[in-house]
Amino acid sequence: MNVHDFTIYDFICRNAEINKDKDCLLFEGKRIGFQEYRQKVDQLAAGLTREGVTRGDRLAVVAYNSDEYMILYGAAAKIGAIVIAVNWRFQKEEVEYVLTDCTPKMVFAGESFQEMISDIQTQIPSVRKLVLLGKGTPQNGVIPFEALYSKQGADAVFEISANDGFVIIHTAAVEGHPRGALLSQSNLVFHNVLSMLQYQLGRDDCYMGFLPLFHVAGLTLALAMMHAGGKHVITEKYDPSETLELIEQETGTILFTFAPILNSLLDKY
């Protein structure tokens, strides 16, 4: 492997070897170690491949934060698929525009967004399947996330370039519509390295992940922490009381904040 082709999946494999059972993700009391995270990524990648997802295909997500969201990111990285991280604050018409524009093969919807996505699906011929991501009960025609896991083919090797696209994040509206910006795997890997240097991140650090995983700041810090071998504490949405409790319980060391968020934390402290 050329050093310039170091991918997101490469550091997932690296951490599975050197960090093994160390906490990688924590979500609603459920802990996933680095080795288990890779296993889930491998099995999901196998399941996606079984469903016909290949390098360059798009997988849209309209959901709140969860451990499954991060597993999907990892599986997409392994097979070279591109995640369309849709802003769940978008109105129905905006979501339809984004999905029509990006032509995803599958859409992963959180419980609160199943009905909306089911309504939109008929207008988007590229979408073959809807998947429930996170907690909840699948509606008619929606398959559960767990159904995609497959042990058969989990050890498959994919030829992926670091220059392959990894995620599409939509920027502010231009001429009335949001515009998708494509980031490659190498964009994120190099950003990880810069973040690790800037913030001195290491395996003893803990990122408080309450920013939405569709947001570039939420995603980049999550990946940088994973790359560094630290822990990512995921919360579905931001809640100041819950955040303060988790900072104390999990010895949180870093978070990304904006003035209103910081003020709400200080008010609760």
Side-chain angles (χ1 to χ4, degrees), residues 5-31:
D5 279 332
F6 190 78
T7 67
I8 291 170
Y9 184 67
D10 286 327
F11 72 70
I12 290 173
C13 294
R14 172 183 176 273
N15 276 321
E17 291 297 321
I18 66 176
N19 288 314
K20 295 189 183 297
D21 296 330
K22 183 182 179 298
D23 285 346
C24 172
L25 304 176
L26 171 65
F27 179 64
E28 296 187 344
K30 180 170 61 177
R31 298 180 186 273

CSV table of all heavy atoms in Angstrom, one decimal, residues 5-31:
chain,number,residue,atom,x,y,z
A,5,ASP,N,-2.2,6.3,-0.1
A,5,ASP,CA,-3.4,5.6,-0.2
A,5,ASP,C,-4.0,5.1,1.1
A,5,ASP,O,-4.8,4.2,1.2
A,5,ASP,CB,-3.3,4.4,-1.2
A,5,ASP,CG,-3.4,4.9,-2.6
A,5,ASP,OD1,-4.1,5.9,-2.9
A,5,ASP,OD2,-2.8,4.2,-3.5
A,6,PHE,N,-3.5,5.7,2.2
A,6,PHE,CA,-4.0,5.3,3.6
A,6,PHE,C,-5.4,5.8,3.7
A,6,PHE,O,-5.7,7.0,3.5
A,6,PHE,CB,-3.1,5.9,4.6
A,6,PHE,CG,-3.4,5.4,6.0
A,6,PHE,CD1,-2.9,4.2,6.4
A,6,PHE,CD2,-4.1,6.2,6.9
A,6,PHE,CE1,-3.1,3.8,7.7
A,6,PHE,CE2,-4.4,5.8,8.2
A,6,PHE,CZ,-3.9,4.5,8.6
A,7,THR,N,-6.3,4.9,3.9
A,7,THR,CA,-7.7,5.2,4.0
A,7,THR,C,-8.3,5.1,5.4
A,7,THR,O,-7.7,4.7,6.3
A,7,THR,CB,-8.5,4.2,3.1
A,7,THR,OG1,-8.4,2.9,3.7
A,7,THR,CG2,-7.9,4.1,1.7
A,8,ILE,N,-9.6,5.5,5.4
A,8,ILE,CA,-10.3,5.5,6.7
A,8,ILE,C,-10.4,4.0,7.2
A,8,ILE,O,-10.2,3.8,8.4
A,8,ILE,CB,-11.7,6.1,6.5
A,8,ILE,CG1,-11.6,7.6,6.3
A,8,ILE,CG2,-12.6,5.8,7.7
A,8,ILE,CD1,-12.9,8.3,5.9
A,9,TYR,N,-10.7,3.1,6.3
A,9,TYR,CA,-10.7,1.7,6.7
A,9,TYR,C,-9.4,1.2,7.2
A,9,TYR,O,-9.3,0.3,8.1
A,9,TYR,CB,-11.2,0.8,5.6
A,9,TYR,CG,-11.4,-0.7,6.0
A,9,TYR,CD1,-12.4,-1.0,6.9
A,9,TYR,CD2,-10.6,-1.6,5.4
A,9,TYR,CE1,-12.5,-2.4,7.3
A,9,TYR,CE2,-10.7,-3.0,5.8
A,9,TYR,CZ,-11.7,-3.3,6.7
A,9,TYR,OH,-11.9,-4.6,7.1
A,10,ASP,N,-8.3,1.7,6.7
A,10,ASP,CA,-7.0,1.3,7.2
A,10,ASP,C,-6.8,1.6,8.6
A,10,ASP,O,-6.2,0.8,9.4
A,10,ASP,CB,-5.9,2.0,6.3
A,10,ASP,CG,-5.7,1.4,4.9
A,10,ASP,OD1,-5.9,0.2,4.8
A,10,ASP,OD2,-5.4,2.2,4.0
A,11,PHE,N,-7.2,2.8,9.1
A,11,PHE,CA,-7.0,3.1,10.5
A,11,PHE,C,-8.0,2.4,11.4
A,11,PHE,O,-7.8,2.2,12.5
A,11,PHE,CB,-6.9,4.6,10.8
A,11,PHE,CG,-8.2,5.4,10.7
A,11,PHE,CD1,-9.2,5.3,11.6
A,11,PHE,CD2,-8.3,6.4,9.7
A,11,PHE,CE1,-10.3,6.1,11.5
A,11,PHE,CE2,-9.4,7.2,9.6
A,11,PHE,CZ,-10.4,7.1,10.6
A,12,ILE,N,-9.2,2.0,10.8
A,12,ILE,CA,-10.1,1.2,11.5
A,12,ILE,C,-9.5,-0.2,11.8
A,12,ILE,O,-9.5,-0.7,12.9
A,12,ILE,CB,-11.4,1.0,10.7
A,12,ILE,CG1,-12.2,2.3,10.7
A,12,ILE,CG2,-12.3,-0.1,11.3
A,12,ILE,CD1,-13.4,2.3,9.8
A,13,CYS,N,-8.8,-0.8,10.8
A,13,CYS,CA,-8.1,-2.0,11.0
A,13,CYS,C,-6.9,-1.9,11.9
A,13,CYS,O,-6.7,-2.8,12.8
A,13,CYS,CB,-7.6,-2.6,9.6
A,13,CYS,SG,-8.9,-3.0,8.5
A,14,ARG,N,-6.2,-0.8,11.8
A,14,ARG,CA,-5.1,-0.6,12.7
A,14,ARG,C,-5.5,-0.6,14.2
A,14,ARG,O,-4.9,-1.2,15.1
A,14,ARG,CB,-4.4,0.7,12.3
A,14,ARG,CG,-3.3,1.2,13.3
A,14,ARG,CD,-2.7,2.6,12.9
A,14,ARG,NE,-1.8,3.1,13.8
A,14,ARG,CZ,-2.1,3.8,14.9
A,14,ARG,NH1,-3.4,4.1,15.2
A,14,ARG,NH2,-1.1,4.2,15.7
A,15,ASN,N,-6.6,0.2,14.5
A,15,ASN,CA,-7.0,0.3,15.8
A,15,ASN,C,-7.6,-1.0,16.4
A,15,ASN,O,-7.5,-1.3,17.6
A,15,ASN,CB,-8.1,1.4,16.0
A,15,ASN,CG,-7.4,2.8,16.1
A,15,ASN,OD1,-6.4,2.9,16.8
A,15,ASN,ND2,-8.0,3.8,15.5
A,16,ALA,N,-8.2,-1.8,15.5
A,16,ALA,CA,-8.7,-3.1,15.9
A,16,ALA,C,-7.6,-4.0,16.4
A,16,ALA,O,-7.8,-4.9,17.2
A,16,ALA,CB,-9.4,-3.8,14.7
A,17,GLU,N,-6.4,-3.8,15.9
A,17,GLU,CA,-5.2,-4.6,16.3
A,17,GLU,C,-4.6,-4.1,17.5
A,17,GLU,O,-4.2,-4.8,18.4
A,17,GLU,CB,-4.2,-4.7,15.1
A,17,GLU,CG,-4.7,-5.5,13.9
A,17,GLU,CD,-4.9,-6.9,14.3
A,17,GLU,OE1,-4.1,-7.5,15.1
A,17,GLU,OE2,-5.9,-7.5,13.8
A,18,ILE,N,-4.4,-2.8,17.6
A,18,ILE,CA,-3.6,-2.2,18.7
A,18,ILE,C,-4.4,-1.8,19.9
A,18,ILE,O,-3.9,-1.7,21.0
A,18,ILE,CB,-2.7,-1.1,18.3
A,18,ILE,CG1,-3.5,0.1,17.8
A,18,ILE,CG2,-1.7,-1.5,17.2
A,18,ILE,CD1,-2.7,1.3,17.4
A,19,ASN,N,-5.7,-1.6,19.7
A,19,ASN,CA,-6.6,-1.1,20.8
A,19,ASN,C,-7.6,-2.2,21.2
A,19,ASN,O,-8.2,-2.1,22.3
A,19,ASN,CB,-7.3,0.2,20.4
A,19,ASN,CG,-6.3,1.4,20.4
A,19,ASN,OD1,-5.5,1.5,21.4
A,19,ASN,ND2,-6.3,2.2,19.4
A,20,LYS,N,-7.9,-3.1,20.3
A,20,LYS,CA,-8.8,-4.2,20.5
A,20,LYS,C,-10.1,-3.9,21.4
A,20,LYS,O,-11.0,-3.4,20.8
A,20,LYS,CB,-8.0,-5.4,21.2
A,20,LYS,CG,-6.9,-5.9,20.3
A,20,LYS,CD,-6.3,-7.2,20.8
A,20,LYS,CE,-5.2,-7.7,20.0
A,20,LYS,NZ,-5.6,-8.1,18.6
A,21,ASP,N,-10.1,-4.3,22.7
A,21,ASP,CA,-11.3,-4.1,23.5
A,21,ASP,C,-11.5,-2.7,24.1
A,21,ASP,O,-12.4,-2.5,24.8
A,21,ASP,CB,-11.3,-5.2,24.6
A,21,ASP,CG,-11.4,-6.6,24.0
A,21,ASP,OD1,-12.0,-6.8,22.9
A,21,ASP,OD2,-10.8,-7.5,24.6
A,22,LYS,N,-10.5,-1.8,23.8
A,22,LYS,CA,-10.7,-0.5,24.4
A,22,LYS,C,-11.9,0.2,23.8
A,22,LYS,O,-12.2,-0.1,22.6
A,22,LYS,CB,-9.4,0.3,24.0
A,22,LYS,CG,-9.4,1.7,24.6
A,22,LYS,CD,-8.2,2.5,24.1
A,22,LYS,CE,-8.2,3.9,24.7
A,22,LYS,NZ,-9.3,4.7,24.2
A,23,ASP,N,-12.6,1.0,24.6
A,23,ASP,CA,-13.8,1.6,24.1
A,23,ASP,C,-13.6,2.5,22.8
A,23,ASP,O,-12.7,3.4,22.8
A,23,ASP,CB,-14.4,2.5,25.2
A,23,ASP,CG,-15.1,1.7,26.3
A,23,ASP,OD1,-15.3,0.5,26.1
A,23,ASP,OD2,-15.4,2.3,27.3
A,24,CYS,N,-14.3,2.2,21.8
A,24,CYS,CA,-14.3,3.0,20.6
A,24,CYS,C,-15.5,3.9,20.6
A,24,CYS,O,-15.4,5.2,20.4
A,24,CYS,CB,-14.3,2.1,19.4
A,24,CYS,SG,-14.5,3.0,17.8
A,25,LEU,N,-16.7,3.4,20.8
A,25,LEU,CA,-18.0,4.1,20.8
A,25,LEU,C,-18.8,3.8,22.1
A,25,LEU,O,-18.7,2.7,22.6
A,25,LEU,CB,-18.8,3.7,19.6
A,25,LEU,CG,-18.2,3.9,18.2
A,25,LEU,CD1,-19.2,3.4,17.2
A,25,LEU,CD2,-17.9,5.3,17.9
A,26,LEU,N,-19.5,4.8,22.6
A,26,LEU,CA,-20.4,4.6,23.7
A,26,LEU,C,-21.7,5.3,23.3
A,26,LEU,O,-21.7,6.5,22.9
A,26,LEU,CB,-19.9,5.2,25.0
A,26,LEU,CG,-20.9,5.2,26.1
A,26,LEU,CD1,-21.3,3.8,26.6
A,26,LEU,CD2,-20.3,6.0,27.3
A,27,PHE,N,-22.8,4.5,23.2
A,27,PHE,CA,-24.1,5.1,22.9
A,27,PHE,C,-25.2,4.5,23.7
A,27,PHE,O,-25.4,3.3,23.7
A,27,PHE,CB,-24.4,4.9,21.4
A,27,PHE,CG,-25.7,5.4,20.9
A,27,PHE,CD1,-26.0,6.8,21.0
A,27,PHE,CD2,-26.7,4.6,20.5
A,27,PHE,CE1,-27.2,7.3,20.6
A,27,PHE,CE2,-28.0,5.1,20.1
A,27,PHE,CZ,-28.2,6.5,20.1
A,28,GLU,N,-25.8,5.4,24.5
A,28,GLU,CA,-26.9,5.0,25.4
A,28,GLU,C,-26.6,3.8,26.2
A,28,GLU,O,-27.4,2.8,26.3
A,28,GLU,CB,-28.2,4.8,24.5
A,28,GLU,CG,-28.7,6.0,23.9
A,28,GLU,CD,-30.0,5.9,23.2
A,28,GLU,OE1,-30.4,4.8,22.9
A,28,GLU,OE2,-30.6,7.0,22.8
A,29,GLY,N,-25.4,3.8,26.8
A,29,GLY,CA,-25.0,2.7,27.7
A,29,GLY,C,-24.3,1.5,27.0
A,29,GLY,O,-23.8,0.7,27.7
A,30,LYS,N,-24.4,1.5,25.7
A,30,LYS,CA,-23.8,0.4,25.0
A,30,LYS,C,-22.4,0.7,24.5
A,30,LYS,O,-22.2,1.8,23.9
A,30,LYS,CB,-24.6,0.0,23.7
A,30,LYS,CG,-24.1,-1.1,22.9
A,30,LYS,CD,-25.1,-1.6,21.9
A,30,LYS,CE,-25.4,-0.5,20.9
A,30,LYS,NZ,-26.3,-0.9,19.8
A,31,ARG,N,-21.4,-0.1,24.9
A,31,ARG,CA,-20.0,0.1,24.6
A,31,ARG,C,-19.6,-0.8,23.5
A,31,ARG,O,-19.9,-2.0,23.5
A,31,ARG,CB,-19.1,-0.1,25.8
A,31,ARG,CG,-19.4,0.9,26.9
A,31,ARG,CD,-18.5,0.7,28.2
A,31,ARG,NE,-19.0,1.5,29.3
A,31,ARG,CZ,-18.6,2.8,29.4
A,31,ARG,NH1,-17.7,3.3,28.6
A,31,ARG,NH2,-19.0,3.5,30.4
